[in-house]
Amino acid sequence: MKHAVILAGGKGSRLAGVLPGLPKPLAPVGGQPLLQRQLLALKSAGITSVTLLVNHMASAIRDFCGAQGDFGLDLSFVDDGQPRGTAGALLAALPELPAGADELLILYGDTLFNVDLGRMFAFHAAHAGSGSLFLHPNAHPDDSDLVELDNSGQVKALHPYPHAGEYANLVNAALYILNRKDLAEWQGIISGEPRIIDLAKDLFPQMLRAGCALYGYRSPEYIHDIGTPERLQSANADILAGRFALGSLATPRPAVFLDRDGVINREVEFLARRDDFELLPGAGSAIGRLNRAGLACIVVTNQPVIARGECTEAGLAAIHAHMDTLLGNEGAYVDRLYYCPHHPQKGFAGERPELKIKCSCRKPEIGMLVQARADLNIDFSRSWLVGDRTGDILAARRAGVKSILVRTGAAGRDGRYQCSPDYTVADLPEAVELILQLG
Protein backbone atom coordinates (compact mmCIF):
# COMPACT_ATOMS: atom_id res chain seq x y z
CA MET A 1 0.00 0.00 0.00
CA LYS A 2 1.21 3.51 -0.90
CA HIS A 3 1.25 5.75 2.15
CA ALA A 4 2.39 9.37 2.57
CA VAL A 5 4.22 10.79 5.56
CA ILE A 6 4.36 14.56 5.99
CA LEU A 7 7.07 15.85 8.32
CA ALA A 8 5.13 18.77 9.78
CA GLY A 9 6.57 19.20 13.27
CA GLY A 10 8.98 22.09 12.71
CA LYS A 11 8.56 25.45 14.39
CA GLY A 12 8.98 27.49 11.23
CA SER A 13 10.93 30.15 13.11
CA ARG A 14 12.01 31.96 9.92
CA LEU A 15 8.35 32.49 8.98
CA ALA A 16 7.23 33.59 12.43
CA GLY A 17 7.14 37.24 11.44
CA VAL A 18 4.70 36.65 8.56
CA LEU A 19 2.65 33.82 10.11
CA PRO A 20 1.40 35.18 13.43
CA GLY A 21 -0.32 32.39 15.32
CA LEU A 22 -0.03 29.82 12.53
CA PRO A 23 2.15 26.70 12.22
CA LYS A 24 4.22 26.54 9.04
CA PRO A 25 2.08 23.86 7.29
CA LEU A 26 -0.91 26.22 7.44
CA ALA A 27 0.92 29.07 5.70
CA PRO A 28 -1.41 30.55 3.07
CA VAL A 29 -0.01 29.97 -0.42
CA GLY A 30 -2.02 31.37 -3.28
CA GLY A 31 -4.90 31.94 -0.86
CA GLN A 32 -4.95 28.33 0.34
CA PRO A 33 -3.20 26.71 3.33
CA LEU A 34 -0.14 24.81 2.14
CA LEU A 35 -1.19 21.62 3.96
CA GLN A 36 -4.52 21.68 2.15
CA ARG A 37 -2.71 21.90 -1.19
CA GLN A 38 -0.49 18.97 -0.20
CA LEU A 39 -3.31 16.72 0.97
CA LEU A 40 -5.46 17.41 -2.08
CA ALA A 41 -2.49 16.71 -4.35
CA LEU A 42 -1.90 13.39 -2.61
CA LYS A 43 -5.58 12.51 -2.89
CA SER A 44 -5.65 13.32 -6.62
CA ALA A 45 -2.63 11.02 -7.06
CA GLY A 46 -4.60 8.13 -5.56
CA ILE A 47 -2.97 8.18 -2.12
CA THR A 48 -5.68 7.80 0.52
CA SER A 49 -3.62 7.10 3.65
CA VAL A 50 -1.48 9.87 5.18
CA THR A 51 0.37 10.28 8.48
CA LEU A 52 1.39 13.72 9.72
CA LEU A 53 4.34 13.92 12.10
CA VAL A 54 3.46 16.93 14.23
CA ASN A 55 4.77 18.78 17.26
CA HIS A 56 4.73 22.59 17.17
CA MET A 57 1.11 23.79 17.32
CA ALA A 58 -0.04 20.22 16.70
CA SER A 59 -3.56 20.93 17.91
CA ALA A 60 -4.01 23.70 15.32
CA ILE A 61 -3.04 21.26 12.55
CA ARG A 62 -5.37 18.55 13.88
CA ASP A 63 -8.25 21.00 14.25
CA PHE A 64 -7.76 22.34 10.74
CA CYS A 65 -7.85 18.87 9.20
CA GLY A 66 -10.82 17.85 11.34
CA ALA A 67 -12.79 20.91 10.28
CA GLN A 68 -12.27 19.84 6.65
CA GLY A 69 -13.40 16.26 7.31
CA ASP A 70 -9.76 15.18 6.95
CA PHE A 71 -10.25 15.94 3.22
CA GLY A 72 -11.77 12.51 2.77
CA LEU A 73 -8.43 10.87 3.58
CA ASP A 74 -7.43 8.32 6.18
CA LEU A 75 -5.37 10.71 8.28
CA SER A 76 -3.35 9.81 11.34
CA PHE A 77 -1.14 11.96 13.54
CA VAL A 78 2.06 11.10 15.39
CA ASP A 79 3.61 13.58 17.81
CA ASP A 80 7.37 13.88 17.25
CA GLY A 81 8.00 14.61 20.91
CA GLN A 82 11.57 15.75 21.50
CA PRO A 83 13.23 17.00 18.26
CA ARG A 84 14.99 14.13 16.49
CA GLY A 85 15.64 15.46 12.99
CA THR A 86 13.92 14.24 9.84
CA ALA A 87 15.36 10.71 9.89
CA GLY A 88 14.99 10.36 13.65
CA ALA A 89 11.34 11.39 13.57
CA LEU A 90 10.55 9.09 10.65
CA LEU A 91 12.29 6.06 12.13
CA ALA A 92 10.64 6.61 15.51
CA ALA A 93 7.20 6.80 13.87
CA LEU A 94 7.54 3.62 11.77
CA PRO A 95 5.82 1.32 14.30
CA GLU A 96 2.82 3.66 14.40
CA LEU A 97 2.23 3.73 10.65
CA PRO A 98 -0.73 1.71 9.34
CA ALA A 99 -0.25 -1.98 8.68
CA GLY A 100 0.39 -2.63 5.00
CA ALA A 101 1.98 0.77 4.41
CA ASP A 102 4.94 -0.61 2.49
CA GLU A 103 5.87 2.22 0.11
CA LEU A 104 6.28 5.54 1.90
CA LEU A 105 6.14 8.86 0.10
CA ILE A 106 8.04 11.26 2.36
CA LEU A 107 7.55 15.02 2.07
CA TYR A 108 8.14 18.03 4.28
CA GLY A 109 5.48 20.30 5.69
CA ASP A 110 6.93 23.36 3.94
CA THR A 111 7.01 21.93 0.40
CA LEU A 112 4.81 23.28 -2.39
CA PHE A 113 4.77 20.82 -5.28
CA ASN A 114 3.01 20.02 -8.52
CA VAL A 115 4.41 16.62 -9.40
CA ASP A 116 3.07 13.65 -11.36
CA LEU A 117 3.49 11.23 -8.45
CA GLY A 118 2.34 8.30 -10.57
CA ARG A 119 5.46 8.65 -12.71
CA MET A 120 7.66 8.73 -9.64
CA PHE A 121 6.05 5.62 -8.15
CA ALA A 122 6.44 3.84 -11.52
CA PHE A 123 10.14 4.78 -11.54
CA HIS A 124 10.55 3.46 -8.01
CA ALA A 125 8.86 0.17 -8.88
CA ALA A 126 10.95 -0.28 -12.03
CA HIS A 127 14.26 0.19 -10.18
CA ALA A 128 13.37 -1.87 -7.11
CA GLY A 129 15.79 -0.07 -4.81
CA SER A 130 15.53 0.85 -1.14
CA GLY A 131 14.44 4.36 -2.11
CA SER A 132 14.03 6.96 -4.82
CA LEU A 133 15.05 10.61 -4.39
CA PHE A 134 13.36 13.37 -6.40
CA LEU A 135 16.11 15.42 -8.07
CA HIS A 136 15.78 18.56 -10.13
CA PRO A 137 18.01 21.33 -11.51
CA ASN A 138 17.77 24.81 -10.06
CA ALA A 139 19.24 28.27 -10.64
CA HIS A 140 21.52 28.18 -7.57
CA PRO A 141 23.29 24.79 -7.42
CA ASP A 142 26.24 26.39 -5.60
CA ASP A 143 24.24 26.65 -2.36
CA SER A 144 22.13 23.51 -2.83
CA ASP A 145 22.65 19.89 -1.79
CA LEU A 146 23.62 17.99 -4.95
CA VAL A 147 23.29 14.28 -5.67
CA GLU A 148 25.75 12.38 -7.85
CA LEU A 149 24.40 9.50 -9.96
CA ASP A 150 26.07 6.72 -11.92
CA ASN A 151 25.09 5.83 -15.50
CA SER A 152 22.23 3.62 -14.27
CA GLY A 153 20.70 6.41 -12.20
CA GLN A 154 21.85 4.95 -8.88
CA VAL A 155 23.00 7.40 -6.24
CA LYS A 156 26.80 7.42 -5.83
CA ALA A 157 27.09 10.23 -3.30
CA LEU A 158 25.33 13.19 -1.74
CA HIS A 159 27.24 16.48 -1.68
CA PRO A 160 26.03 19.08 0.82
CA TYR A 161 27.01 22.62 0.04
CA PRO A 162 29.54 24.21 -0.09
CA HIS A 163 30.91 21.91 -2.79
CA ALA A 164 34.57 21.09 -3.17
CA GLY A 165 34.17 20.08 -6.83
CA GLU A 166 31.86 20.36 -9.83
CA TYR A 167 28.82 18.12 -10.13
CA ALA A 168 25.79 17.83 -12.36
CA ASN A 169 22.99 20.20 -11.37
CA LEU A 170 20.86 17.55 -9.64
CA VAL A 171 19.47 19.10 -6.48
CA ASN A 172 17.93 17.03 -3.69
CA ALA A 173 14.35 18.37 -3.52
CA ALA A 174 13.48 16.49 -0.27
CA LEU A 175 10.72 14.35 -1.79
CA TYR A 176 11.35 10.63 -1.38
CA ILE A 177 9.81 7.20 -1.85
CA LEU A 178 11.28 4.80 0.70
CA ASN A 179 10.57 1.16 1.41
CA ARG A 180 9.34 0.67 4.95
CA LYS A 181 11.08 -2.69 5.42
CA ASP A 182 14.43 -1.18 4.42
CA LEU A 183 13.96 1.76 6.78
CA ALA A 184 13.07 -0.58 9.63
CA GLU A 185 16.56 -2.08 9.47
CA TRP A 186 17.95 1.30 10.59
CA GLN A 187 15.81 1.83 13.66
CA GLY A 188 18.76 0.91 15.86
CA ILE A 189 20.43 4.26 15.15
CA ILE A 190 17.78 6.09 17.21
CA SER A 191 18.31 4.02 20.33
CA GLY A 192 19.63 5.78 23.44
CA GLU A 193 19.41 9.50 24.01
CA PRO A 194 17.44 11.33 21.30
CA ARG A 195 19.69 13.14 18.85
CA ILE A 196 19.22 14.99 15.59
CA ILE A 197 19.50 12.60 12.61
CA ASP A 198 18.84 13.99 9.14
CA LEU A 199 17.72 11.93 6.16
CA ALA A 200 20.03 13.47 3.54
CA LYS A 201 23.02 14.30 5.74
CA ASP A 202 23.05 11.22 7.96
CA LEU A 203 20.80 8.30 7.04
CA PHE A 204 21.19 8.19 3.26
CA PRO A 205 25.04 8.26 3.36
CA GLN A 206 24.96 5.42 5.90
CA MET A 207 22.62 3.44 3.67
CA LEU A 208 24.93 3.94 0.69
CA ARG A 209 27.95 2.80 2.68
CA ALA A 210 26.02 -0.32 3.69
CA GLY A 211 25.30 -1.16 0.04
CA CYS A 212 21.66 -0.07 -0.12
CA ALA A 213 20.50 0.98 -3.59
CA LEU A 214 19.06 4.48 -3.77
CA TYR A 215 18.03 5.90 -7.14
CA GLY A 216 17.65 9.44 -8.42
CA TYR A 217 14.32 10.32 -10.01
CA ARG A 218 15.19 13.25 -12.26
CA SER A 219 12.38 15.67 -13.05
CA PRO A 220 12.00 19.36 -13.89
CA GLU A 221 8.57 19.52 -12.19
CA TYR A 222 7.56 22.27 -9.80
CA ILE A 223 8.76 21.73 -6.23
CA HIS A 224 9.85 24.50 -3.84
CA ASP A 225 10.02 24.98 -0.12
CA ILE A 226 8.29 28.01 1.40
CA GLY A 227 10.40 28.07 4.55
CA THR A 228 11.45 31.73 4.42
CA PRO A 229 9.45 34.92 3.75
CA GLU A 230 11.28 35.34 0.44
CA ARG A 231 10.50 31.79 -0.70
CA LEU A 232 6.88 32.13 0.38
CA GLN A 233 6.60 35.32 -1.64
CA SER A 234 8.21 33.59 -4.63
CA ALA A 235 5.76 30.68 -4.40
CA ASN A 236 2.82 33.07 -4.37
CA ALA A 237 4.22 34.80 -7.45
CA ASP A 238 4.61 31.45 -9.23
CA ILE A 239 0.97 30.61 -8.58
CA LEU A 240 -0.22 33.99 -9.85
CA ALA A 241 1.95 33.72 -12.99
CA GLY A 242 0.72 30.19 -13.79
CA ARG A 243 4.15 28.57 -13.41
CA PHE A 244 2.90 26.34 -10.60
CA ALA A 245 -0.17 25.11 -12.49
CA LEU A 246 1.94 24.08 -15.51
CA GLY A 247 4.64 22.45 -13.41
CA SER A 248 3.56 18.80 -13.53
CA LEU A 249 4.68 16.31 -16.16
CA ALA A 250 1.02 15.31 -16.42
CA THR A 251 0.61 18.52 -18.47
CA PRO A 252 2.24 18.58 -21.94
CA ARG A 253 4.66 21.46 -22.15
CA PRO A 254 6.66 23.22 -24.85
CA ALA A 255 10.43 22.88 -24.95
CA VAL A 256 13.38 24.66 -26.46
CA PHE A 257 15.90 22.09 -27.70
CA LEU A 258 19.44 23.42 -27.88
CA ASP A 259 22.42 22.05 -29.70
CA ARG A 260 25.52 22.39 -27.52
CA ASP A 261 28.72 23.19 -29.44
CA GLY A 262 28.53 26.47 -31.31
CA VAL A 263 25.23 27.40 -29.64
CA ILE A 264 25.88 27.31 -25.89
CA ASN A 265 29.67 27.12 -25.94
CA ARG A 266 32.42 28.16 -28.30
CA GLU A 267 32.99 25.76 -31.14
CA VAL A 268 36.02 23.52 -30.53
CA GLU A 269 36.50 20.72 -33.04
CA PHE A 270 35.78 17.43 -31.24
CA LEU A 271 35.79 19.03 -27.81
CA ALA A 272 37.06 16.37 -25.39
CA ARG A 273 38.46 18.29 -22.40
CA ARG A 274 36.66 20.14 -19.63
CA ASP A 275 39.10 23.04 -19.81
CA ASP A 276 38.21 23.66 -23.48
CA PHE A 277 34.55 24.32 -22.65
CA GLU A 278 33.71 28.05 -22.67
CA LEU A 279 30.23 29.56 -22.63
CA LEU A 280 29.42 31.91 -25.48
CA PRO A 281 28.64 35.50 -24.42
CA GLY A 282 25.04 35.82 -23.25
CA ALA A 283 24.31 32.08 -23.35
CA GLY A 284 23.80 31.78 -19.59
CA SER A 285 21.45 34.75 -19.35
CA ALA A 286 19.51 33.53 -22.40
CA ILE A 287 18.95 30.10 -20.87
CA GLY A 288 17.96 31.80 -17.62
CA ARG A 289 15.22 33.65 -19.51
CA LEU A 290 13.86 30.32 -20.77
CA ASN A 291 13.89 28.97 -17.21
CA ARG A 292 11.94 31.93 -15.87
CA ALA A 293 9.44 31.72 -18.73
CA GLY A 294 8.62 28.13 -17.77
CA LEU A 295 9.91 26.63 -21.03
CA ALA A 296 11.71 23.31 -20.77
CA CYS A 297 15.33 23.77 -21.83
CA ILE A 298 16.78 20.55 -23.25
CA VAL A 299 20.23 20.01 -24.74
CA VAL A 300 20.50 17.48 -27.60
CA THR A 301 24.08 17.02 -28.77
CA ASN A 302 26.02 14.66 -31.02
CA GLN A 303 29.20 13.61 -29.22
CA PRO A 304 31.21 11.40 -31.60
CA VAL A 305 34.29 11.93 -29.39
CA ILE A 306 33.00 8.96 -27.36
CA ALA A 307 32.89 6.58 -30.33
CA ARG A 308 36.21 7.94 -31.64
CA GLY A 309 37.85 7.09 -28.31
CA GLU A 310 38.88 10.69 -27.70
CA CYS A 311 36.75 11.14 -24.56
CA THR A 312 35.27 8.73 -22.03
CA GLU A 313 31.76 8.89 -20.60
CA ALA A 314 33.31 10.10 -17.35
CA GLY A 315 35.20 12.81 -19.22
CA LEU A 316 32.01 13.94 -20.92
CA ALA A 317 30.21 13.99 -17.57
CA ALA A 318 32.96 16.27 -16.24
CA ILE A 319 32.47 18.62 -19.19
CA HIS A 320 28.73 18.76 -18.55
CA ALA A 321 29.21 19.25 -14.80
CA HIS A 322 31.43 22.21 -15.70
CA MET A 323 28.71 23.53 -18.00
CA ASP A 324 26.13 23.18 -15.21
CA THR A 325 28.43 25.05 -12.84
CA LEU A 326 29.02 27.91 -15.28
CA LEU A 327 25.31 28.19 -16.04
CA GLY A 328 24.47 28.04 -12.33
CA ASN A 329 26.85 30.94 -11.73
CA GLU A 330 24.58 32.94 -14.05
CA GLY A 331 21.33 31.74 -12.45
CA ALA A 332 20.49 29.31 -15.27
CA TYR A 333 20.11 25.57 -15.82
CA VAL A 334 19.13 22.97 -18.41
CA ASP A 335 16.25 20.68 -17.56
CA ARG A 336 17.77 17.64 -19.26
CA LEU A 337 20.71 16.79 -21.51
CA TYR A 338 20.80 13.99 -24.07
CA TYR A 339 23.84 13.04 -26.08
CA CYS A 340 24.50 10.61 -28.90
CA PRO A 341 27.82 8.74 -28.41
CA HIS A 342 27.80 7.09 -31.84
CA HIS A 343 29.71 7.76 -35.04
CA PRO A 344 29.04 5.89 -38.30
CA GLN A 345 32.51 6.21 -39.85
CA LYS A 346 35.23 3.74 -38.90
CA GLY A 347 38.99 3.88 -39.09
CA PHE A 348 40.02 6.10 -36.16
CA ALA A 349 42.87 5.06 -33.86
CA GLY A 350 41.50 4.09 -30.45
CA GLU A 351 37.89 4.03 -31.66
CA ARG A 352 35.22 1.97 -29.88
CA PRO A 353 33.81 -0.52 -32.42
CA GLU A 354 30.57 -1.07 -30.50
CA LEU A 355 29.70 2.61 -30.97
CA LYS A 356 30.64 2.79 -34.64
CA ILE A 357 27.10 2.27 -35.86
CA LYS A 358 24.34 4.06 -37.72
CA CYS A 359 21.89 4.91 -34.95
CA SER A 360 18.52 6.56 -34.50
CA CYS A 361 19.76 9.25 -32.11
CA ARG A 362 22.52 11.05 -34.02
CA LYS A 363 21.09 14.24 -35.51
CA PRO A 364 19.54 14.67 -38.05
CA GLU A 365 17.82 11.58 -36.68
CA ILE A 366 15.35 12.49 -33.95
CA GLY A 367 15.88 9.77 -31.34
CA MET A 368 17.05 12.20 -28.65
CA LEU A 369 14.04 14.46 -29.18
CA VAL A 370 11.65 11.52 -29.11
CA GLN A 371 13.21 10.28 -25.86
CA ALA A 372 12.81 13.74 -24.35
CA ARG A 373 9.17 13.80 -25.40
CA ALA A 374 8.56 10.51 -23.61
CA ASP A 375 10.54 11.46 -20.51
CA LEU A 376 9.20 15.00 -20.08
CA ASN A 377 5.82 14.99 -21.89
CA ILE A 378 6.96 17.54 -24.48
CA ASP A 379 4.49 19.02 -26.96
CA PHE A 380 6.43 19.14 -30.23
CA SER A 381 3.82 21.37 -31.87
CA ARG A 382 4.78 24.22 -29.49
CA SER A 383 8.51 23.49 -29.35
CA TRP A 384 11.68 24.87 -30.93
CA LEU A 385 15.17 23.67 -31.84
CA VAL A 386 18.11 26.08 -31.93
CA GLY A 387 21.23 24.88 -33.74
CA ASP A 388 24.20 25.96 -35.81
CA ARG A 389 24.33 23.09 -38.33
CA THR A 390 22.11 21.81 -41.11
CA GLY A 391 21.70 18.52 -39.25
CA ASP A 392 20.01 20.43 -36.42
CA ILE A 393 17.61 22.10 -38.84
CA LEU A 394 16.75 18.81 -40.56
CA ALA A 395 16.15 17.14 -37.19
CA ALA A 396 13.75 19.95 -36.28
CA ARG A 397 11.86 19.51 -39.53
CA ARG A 398 11.61 15.74 -39.07
CA ALA A 399 10.33 16.15 -35.51
CA GLY A 400 7.85 18.86 -36.42
CA VAL A 401 9.36 21.55 -34.20
CA LYS A 402 10.20 25.08 -35.31
CA SER A 403 13.86 25.69 -36.14
CA ILE A 404 16.24 28.59 -35.56
CA LEU A 405 19.72 28.70 -37.09
CA VAL A 406 22.30 30.78 -35.21
CA ARG A 407 25.24 32.40 -36.94
CA THR A 408 27.66 31.27 -34.23
CA GLY A 409 29.62 28.02 -34.46
CA ALA A 410 29.25 26.42 -37.89
CA ALA A 411 26.54 29.00 -38.73
CA GLY A 412 24.92 26.55 -41.16
CA ARG A 413 27.99 26.46 -43.41
CA ASP A 414 28.59 22.72 -42.99
CA GLY A 415 26.47 22.09 -46.10
CA ARG A 416 25.69 18.47 -45.22
CA TYR A 417 21.93 18.68 -45.76
CA GLN A 418 19.73 20.75 -48.04
CA CYS A 419 17.24 22.38 -45.70
CA SER A 420 16.28 25.86 -44.61
CA PRO A 421 15.54 27.04 -41.05
CA ASP A 422 12.31 28.74 -40.09
CA TYR A 423 14.36 31.63 -38.70
CA THR A 424 17.99 32.77 -38.70
CA VAL A 425 19.43 34.97 -35.94
CA ALA A 426 22.83 36.07 -34.69
CA ASP A 427 23.13 33.96 -31.55
CA LEU A 428 21.34 32.21 -28.69
CA PRO A 429 20.25 35.44 -26.92
CA GLU A 430 18.55 36.61 -30.14
CA ALA A 431 16.97 33.17 -30.57
CA VAL A 432 15.49 33.27 -27.08
CA GLU A 433 14.20 36.80 -27.65
CA LEU A 434 12.45 35.59 -30.81
CA ILE A 435 10.97 32.55 -29.08
CA LEU A 436 9.60 34.63 -26.22
CA GLN A 437 8.15 37.19 -28.64
CA LEU A 438 6.39 34.63 -30.82
CA GLY A 439 5.28 32.41 -27.95
Side-chain angles (χ1 to χ4, degrees):
M1 178 179 76
K2 298 180 177 69
H3 181 78
V5 178
I6 303 178
L7 301 171
K11 290 185 177 181
S13 332
R14 293 176 295 177
L15 284 175
V18 296
L19 294 179
L22 282 178
K24 183 165 56 174
L26 299 186
V29 185
Q32 192 176 44
L34 176 60
L35 179 59
Q36 181 173 338
R37 287 184 176 274
Q38 291 181 325
L39 293 174
L40 292 177
L42 295 175
K43 185 176 181 179
S44 69
I47 295 173
T48 59
S49 176
V50 182
T51 296
L52 286 88
L53 306 189
V54 295
N55 184 259
H56 176 66
M57 299 188 70
S59 60
I61 295 173
R62 290 175 186 264
D63 292 346
F64 170 75
C65 292
Q68 305 297 324
D70 289 347
F71 299 95
L73 296 165
D74 180 11
L75 290 188
S76 57
F77 299 84
V78 176
D79 196 314
D80 285 345
Q82 187 170 343
R84 297 171 177 266
T86 53
L90 178 61
L91 292 171
L94 282 183
E96 301 187 57
L97 301 185
D102 303 317
E103 290 182 319
L104 305 178
L105 177 72
I106 312 298
L107 62 147
Y108 293 4
D110 63 357
T111 301
L112 176 68
F113 67 93
N114 187 10
V115 170
D116 184 347
L117 295 174
R119 280 181 178 248
M120 187 173 178
F121 273 106
F123 174 92
H124 180 69
H127 289 80
S130 296
S132 300
L133 286 60
F134 187 105
L135 310 178
H136 67 149
N138 74 16
H140 50 94
D142 58 314
D143 64 359
S144 301
D145 293 339
L146 300 178
V147 178
E148 186 178 1
L149 304 179
D150 66 14
N151 290 335
S152 71
Q154 191 167 333
V155 176
K156 291 174 59 178
L158 293 94
H159 301 284
Y161 72 93
H163 312 119
E166 294 181 334
Y167 305 99
N169 188 348
L170 293 174
V171 175
N172 178 12
L175 179 69
Y176 314 117
I177 298 175
L178 303 174
N179 294 337
R180 183 177 184 170
K181 64 178 180 61
D182 293 315
L183 281 176
E185 296 179 6
W186 294 90
Q187 284 187 285
I189 68 175
I190 62 171
S191 61
E193 288 295 319
R195 56 194 177 94
I196 303 298
I197 306 172
D198 185 75
L199 284 167
K201 291 182 173 59
D202 303 310
L203 180 59
F204 292 160
Q206 289 190 55
M207 292 177 73
L208 293 178
R209 288 192 292 269
C212 296
L214 300 174
Y215 286 88
Y217 175 69
R218 299 167 56 199
S219 174
E221 292 171 285
Y222 189 97
I223 181 166
H224 293 288
D225 78 82
I226 55 95
T228 68
E230 296 76 19
R231 292 171 186 168
L232 178 58
Q233 183 179 21
S234 175
N236 280 307
D238 287 341
I239 290 173
L240 286 173
R243 289 185 289 269
F244 170 78
L246 297 176
S248 169
L249 288 181
T251 304
R253 64 188 302 201
V256 178
F257 294 97
L258 301 178
D259 180 44
R260 194 194 77 178
D261 301 316
V263 176
I264 297 174
N265 57 285
R266 292 191 185 280
E267 181 80 23
V268 173
E269 188 174 12
F270 300 114
L271 192 155
R273 300 188 323 122
R274 169 212 176 271
D275 291 348
D276 291 334
F277 184 97
E278 180 186 355
L279 288 179
L280 283 168
S285 59
I287 290 173
R289 292 188 69 191
L290 295 176
N291 301 148
R292 291 187 292 277
L295 293 169
C297 181
I298 302 169
V299 175
V300 285
T301 175
N302 294 346
Q303 289 301 315
V305 289
I306 301 294
R308 289 162 58 107
E310 296 165 348
C311 184
T312 64
E313 284 85 350
L316 187 61
I319 291 170
H320 290 149
H322 184 51
M323 179 183 76
D324 281 355
T325 300
L326 294 177
L327 290 175
N329 291 342
E330 298 193 33
Y333 57 87
V334 296
D335 290 292
R336 191 68 63 90
L337 182 147
Y338 299 87
Y339 70 88
C340 168
H342 306 110
H343 191 243
Q345 298 171 357
K346 301 180 181 179
F348 297 88
E351 68 184 16
R352 294 172 57 177
E354 74 277 12
L355 298 178
K356 287 292 186 173
I357 60 172
K358 185 176 181 180
C359 64
S360 62
C361 52
R362 179 178 169 84
K363 292 176 295 182
E365 302 299 328
I366 64 171
M368 290 186 285
L369 283 77
V370 170
Q371 187 62 55
R373 180 173 62 185
D375 291 343
L376 304 177
N377 199 8
I378 300 301
D379 180 355
F380 276 5
S381 70
R382 296 186 291 152
S383 295
W384 300 77
L385 191 152
V386 182
D388 68 320
R389 293 178 179 272
T390 56
D392 299 317
I393 305 308
L394 182 55
R397 178 185 296 175
R398 288 174 171 176
V401 306
K402 294 179 283 294
S403 62
I404 300 179
L405 177 72
V406 292
R407 290 192 289 268
T408 50
R413 293 189 294 265
D414 59 290
R416 298 194 64 182
Y417 304 99
Q418 295 301 312
C419 54
S420 299
D422 294 309
Y423 302 92
T424 300
V425 299
D427 53 18
L428 181 55
E430 281 198 17
V432 169
E433 179 66 28
L434 178 67
I435 290 167
L436 295 180
Q437 283 181 359
L438 297 180

